Amino acid sequence: MRFLPGTISISTETDIPLLRKVHQAGHATVRQLYRALMPQFDKNQWDSFNRRTRILAGHGFLVRQLAVALDSHVVSLGEAGEDHLRSRSRTMVEAISRSPRNGKRDQLLHDVELFELHLALMQSGIVTGWQFESEIRADNDFTTYGYAKDYDAVMTIQRGQQSAKIALEYERTPKTSREYGRIVATVNRETRVAGVIYLVCNLHMESFLAHALRGASYPMYIARANSFAADPQNAILLDTRLRRQFRLADAF
């Protein structure tokens, strides 16, 4: 089939998985997406992949932008990509719902860093499933079996014959104490996950959250993001209810 000049043919084998992964991540670097979709690095394959993201961005399927201190361009889903995915995805595709936040550097970095945590945890050997925020939000908005909150992710861990679903929140910057009070009240009504882990980057956030989440009656834990991603089974989890430290196997 011939296409009109200036149009683009979308490949089911390569472009659709890329667009889906971008939608799931919200924002991700081109190198992260390559690592997520390709089994191993090949220079020619990487050059072709990077070039394809530029072509897709040129036709509005992706939005491609520079970000200081990141190893490659950051991409998010464009309007044409959203339109194209709508009839091909099992969940609602709403990139525009994120567009008011697209210009905010903190949201961009939050998404990129969370996707890096996702890539590391999926290689850990213990994480067997991952539900992204976009998928969680779709369940919460359009079904009767949603979660209590739009979590950043819900992961499934497997140890032997036992498994558990755990919600993750990546807290890059703090909210107000009042906001955390509302979050605790919401999470206390949760029934679909075994607990919630807040991943933080430093001691100050850990200390602040330990105080802000003190009213939790539902299992809520705090962990250092890098340690948890590197070795989730042995990373230290702080229980906000008991003020005690656990490891993943003991907590869940």
Side-chain angles (χ1 to χ4, degrees):
M1 178 184 294
R2 298 187 64 183
F3 292 87
L4 293 172
T7 61
I8 182 174
S9 172
I10 297 298
S11 166
T12 302
E13 291 75 23
T14 58
D15 292 335
I16 296 300
L18 171 58
L19 293 174
R20 282 178 176 153
K21 193 60 68 178
V22 172
H23 173 241
Q24 291 171 332
H27 296 85
T29 70
V30 177
R31 286 192 182 276
Q32 284 179 324
L33 292 165
Y34 180 86
R35 288 161 51 205
L37 294 168
M38 304 297 181
Q40 59 186 15
F41 182 80
D42 175 87
K43 180 62 167 60
N44 292 332
Q45 194 177 53
W46 156 251
D47 289 342
S48 176
F49 185 87
N50 190 31
R51 183 168 57 251
R52 188 60 179 175
T53 66
R54 289 199 300 270
I55 294 170
L56 289 169
H59 287 80
F61 287 85
L62 296 175
V63 176
R64 188 176 147 115
Q65 58 187 306
L66 279 172
V68 176
L70 296 179
D71 62 5
S72 54
H73 284 78
V74 175
V75 295
S76 54
L77 195 63
E79 290 190 37
E82 176 185 345
D83 290 340
H84 197 82
L85 279 185
R86 276 214 177 100
S87 62
R88 299 170 178 264
S89 177
R90 71 173 188 86
T91 62
M92 288 292 290
V93 178
E94 294 184 290
I96 300 306
S97 65
R98 300 182 70 86
S99 60
R101 302 185 294 176
N102 279 352
K104 294 186 177 180
R105 177 175 169 80
D106 185 65
Q107 181 62 46
L108 183 152
L109 292 176
H110 173 278
D111 289 353
V112 168
E113 291 170 11
L114 177 62
F115 194 65
E116 189 66 25
L117 293 172
H118 158 70
L119 293 175
L121 287 166
M122 292 304 293
Q123 294 294 319
S124 68
I126 189 173
V127 178
T128 59
W130 190 278
Q131 196 172 7
F132 291 89
E133 182 203 354
S134 56
E135 298 163 332
I136 294 166
R137 192 170 62 244
D139 280 355
N140 290 347
D141 289 347
F142 304 109
T143 75
T144 58
Y145 51 81
Y147 300 93
K149 184 182 182 301
D150 291 346
Y151 299 108
D152 284 336
V154 172
M155 68 176 185
T156 302
I157 58 171
Q158 183 87 32
R159 297 182 75 253
Q161 299 301 311
Q162 296 182 316
S163 65
K165 293 177 74 172
I166 303 168
L168 290 181
E169 295 278 47
Y170 177 51
E171 214 68 354
R172 191 174 191 275
T173 55
K175 301 176 177 66
T176 66
S177 295
R178 180 173 294 182
E179 286 179 284
Y180 284 118
R182 288 194 292 266
I183 289 170
V184 166
T186 298
V187 172
N188 283 343
R189 301 193 298 269
E190 183 61 80
T191 60
R192 290 197 60 202
V193 296
V196 180
I197 298 177
Y198 270 81
L199 299 177
V200 300
C201 298
N202 54 61
L203 177 62
H204 290 109
M205 277 294 296
E206 182 179 322
S207 177
F208 176 61
L209 278 182
H211 177 74
L213 302 177
R214 66 191 182 281
S217 59
Y218 202 76
M220 297 180 75
Y221 301 86
I222 305 166
R224 297 289 182 89
N226 288 343
S227 298
F228 188 79
D231 187 2
Q233 295 194 76
N234 295 305
I236 299 298
L237 306 178
L238 174 64
D239 189 321
T240 63
R241 301 164 303 162
L242 305 176
R243 302 303 174 102
R244 291 175 53 195
Q245 293 183 340
F246 294 88
R247 299 187 190 278
L248 194 67
D250 301 319
F252 301 99

